[in-house]
Amino acid sequence: MTPEWIEGRVRDIDAIAGDDEMAHSEEDQLHQEVLAAIANGETSDPAACARAALKTQNIKFARWCA
């Protein structure tokens, strides 16, 4: 997993930000995948991958759980 790949996923989430539920679900999934990859030593640069994933926080959509 690379920061560039993660940034692509962040762009994908930004593209669906009009659908709050889907964007929130995809954000959660991405964060879980990045954490797992870091924990398993499967990242090229763990800190850069974490920073890239956290960029989803700048995307405007409603975050809520039922």
Side-chain angles (χ1 to χ4, degrees):
M1 182 175 290
T2 65
E4 295 79 18
W5 180 84
I6 296 166
E7 288 173 3
R9 292 279 304 275
V10 171
R11 285 190 298 274
D12 292 345
I13 293 167
D14 190 35
I16 61 170
D19 182 338
D20 296 334
E21 186 175 2
M22 182 62 76
H24 192 188
S25 177
E26 290 295 318
E27 178 184 53
D28 286 350
Q29 182 67 32
L30 174 61
H31 289 178
Q32 290 172 10
E33 289 175 17
V34 172
L35 282 172
I38 291 170
N40 294 324
E42 299 169 347
T43 62
S44 59
D45 181 343
C49 287
R51 282 191 300 273
L54 289 172
K55 290 180 181 180
T56 61
Q57 295 175 326
N58 298 323
I59 302 171
K60 302 290 186 214
F61 60 85
R63 290 166 174 87
W64 51 270
C65 296

